[in-house]
Amino acid sequence: LRKNVEDFTGPRERSDLGFVTFDITADILNGKNGFPTFLNKNALIIFDWNVKQLFLYLSAEYSTKNNALNQVVLWDKIMLRGDNPRLSLKDMKSKYFFFDDGNGLKGNRNITLTLSWNVVPNAGILPLVTGSGRVSVPFPDTYETTKSY
Amino acid sequence: QLYYQVLNFAMIVSSALMIWKGLIVVTGSESPIVVVLSGSMEPAFHRGDLLFLTNFQHDPIRAGEIVVFKVEGRDIPIVHRVIKVHEKGNGNIKFLTKGDNNEVDDRGLYKEGQNWLEKKDVVGRARGFLPYVGMVTIIMNDYPKFKYALLAVMGAYVLLKRES
């Protein structure tokens, strides 16, 4: 379950720059992402004997006039074996600048944020898994000129 | 007897070559097995780890994937993660990478004036890995005498092996 508050400042170098603050609640151990899923019953074990770490990342996916598909990673975290698998982060700012390739953020109603992770084994296959929750975020129609970030 | 041994040696070399070339075709990558050379992806990958790549063109590049790429004009493959993707309707993709262990993205590593990578720069995507195994290659590179010694030993073994 995530709440988002967006400010929107730009343009810089004639590209839109978006600001998003977010909360992340995730229960990686049980494969839940704040949303009930069928995995509940199986108590899926993500950190099994062959998992060294998880590389988690929050990515924003959206379409613009310029580009049919855009994906920008806003935040990432390395979760080592033995770390607390339950995340409860509040009021996080994005780690990386959310630049669009052009001016496609203004007035864009549908930015989808998803939490995914890369399972890094001790040896073997490297799968990419997407969490089961996603949030859709709209950006306002106007630029903000005062920095409230 | 000598004729047989030469044939034996040639068979081994050509089989190894066929397996390697076959792997290149099956994975679609010019270099399907690479060794990690730097610590920029720690703690996931360390120097000396071996990576197995595929490079299927129909598989689009997506954020979060680990790609191995070469900067235009340089021969060294770099293993980093994709953090930004912008894809046009016609399938043209440009993307930005960053090493997990680096503070900043890879723009400093790209060519002068280059801000994005494209499909053509990609050697492959990391699908699997084995730790430490690639150290042999690094040792052979840093200590060429070791490489020659190893080749000499292998050659001598094959040539001197006798049928019982």
Side-chain angles (χ1 to χ4, degrees):
Chain A
L1 289 153
R2 301 173 216 154
K3 293 191 301 267
N4 297 280
V5 168
E6 319 89 55
D7 291 322
F8 189 72
T9 306
R12 206 172 100 182
E13 293 175 327
R14 286 173 285 137
S15 289
D16 284 357
L17 177 64
F19 288 93
V20 180
T21 48
F22 48 91
D23 300 339
I24 297 183
T25 314
D27 191 347
I28 309 276
L29 184 69
N30 294 324
K32 285 185 286 191
N33 222 1
F35 289 86
T37 70
F38 67 86
L39 292 171
N40 262 346
K41 303 196 184 88
N42 298 330
L44 187 75
I45 300 172
I46 302 241
F47 271 107
D48 66 18
W49 58 276
N50 193 21
V51 174
K52 186 162 74 170
Q53 67 171 64
L54 298 181
F55 184 89
L56 301 138
Y57 54 100
L58 182 75
S59 58
E61 188 170 317
Y62 59 98
S63 294
T64 63
K65 243 181 356 165
N66 248 352
N67 292 301
L69 174 73
N70 300 278
Q71 291 181 327
V72 180
V73 171
L74 300 180
W75 169 92
D76 55 38
K77 177 179 168 60
I78 295 180
M79 182 186 271
L80 297 169
R81 192 200 190 88
D83 282 355
N84 185 1
R86 289 184 174 76
L87 291 179
S88 188
L89 308 159
K90 303 237 177 295
D91 260 344
M92 304 283 299
K93 299 201 171 53
S94 62
K95 227 189 201 187
Y96 307 111
F97 283 120
F98 188 173
F99 270 114
D100 181 36
D101 178 36
N103 300 92
L105 290 183
K106 179 171 84 160
N108 197 325
R109 289 270 165 259
N110 195 9
I111 316 262
T112 312
L113 297 179
T114 43
L115 184 68
S116 317
W117 56 87
N118 194 189
V119 180
V120 182
N122 286 318
I125 313 260
L126 294 156
L128 268 178
V129 181
T130 305
S132 55
R134 53 191 65 214
V135 179
S136 213
V137 171
F139 270 113
D141 285 330
T142 55
Y143 290 128
E144 253 189 53
T145 45
T146 50
K147 272 232 172 108
S148 47
Y149 207 48
Chain B
Q1 175 73 350
L2 177 66
Y3 179 57
Y4 171 78
Q5 280 174 326
V6 169
L7 272 187
N8 192 9
F9 187 68
M11 271 296 289
I12 296 176
V13 171
S14 55
S15 300
L17 203 61
M18 282 197 306
I19 294 176
W20 180 244
K21 290 294 182 192
L23 208 55
I24 291 182
V25 169
V26 160
T27 61
S29 166
E30 66 183 42
S31 184
I33 304 181
V34 293
V35 177
V36 176
L37 296 172
S38 75
S40 55
M41 283 295 279
E42 284 183 19
F45 307 136
H46 298 87
R47 196 172 132 84
D49 291 345
L50 207 66
L51 287 178
F52 298 93
L53 315 177
T54 62
N55 195 22
F56 301 126
Q57 290 299 309
H58 56 77
D59 229 347
I61 308 247
R62 290 291 171 250
E65 293 185 338
I66 302 175
V67 296
V68 178
F69 62 92
K70 283 198 193 153
V71 177
E72 225 173 299
R74 293 205 216 121
D75 236 348
I76 313 176
I78 304 180
V79 185
H80 284 171
R81 195 181 296 273
V82 175
I83 59 168
K84 283 202 177 145
V85 173
H86 295 291
E87 176 174 350
K88 296 223 182 278
N90 61 8
N92 238 348
I93 303 187
K94 63 184 184 190
F95 59 97
L96 179 65
T97 56
K98 173 182 167 298
D100 290 347
N101 208 19
N102 292 345
E103 280 300 308
V104 297
D105 60 43
D106 289 345
R107 290 226 162 98
L109 290 173
Y110 299 165
K111 210 170 63 154
E112 180 85 41
Q114 180 187 11
N115 278 334
W116 303 94
L117 288 176
E118 290 165 24
K119 269 189 259 190
K120 64 173 177 55
D121 300 309
V122 171
V123 172
R125 249 161 297 191
R127 296 291 186 210
F129 104 110
L130 279 178
Y132 312 123
V133 173
M135 260 307 183
V136 181
T137 316
I138 294 186
I139 295 176
M140 291 210 293
N141 248 332
D142 291 346
Y143 305 105
K145 290 209 186 95
F146 182 78
K147 177 164 67 178
Y148 299 137
L150 195 65
L151 283 174
V153 165
M154 291 201 315
Y157 174 73
V158 170
L159 290 172
L160 296 174
K161 194 170 73 140
R162 294 241 184 278
E163 290 288 302
S164 62

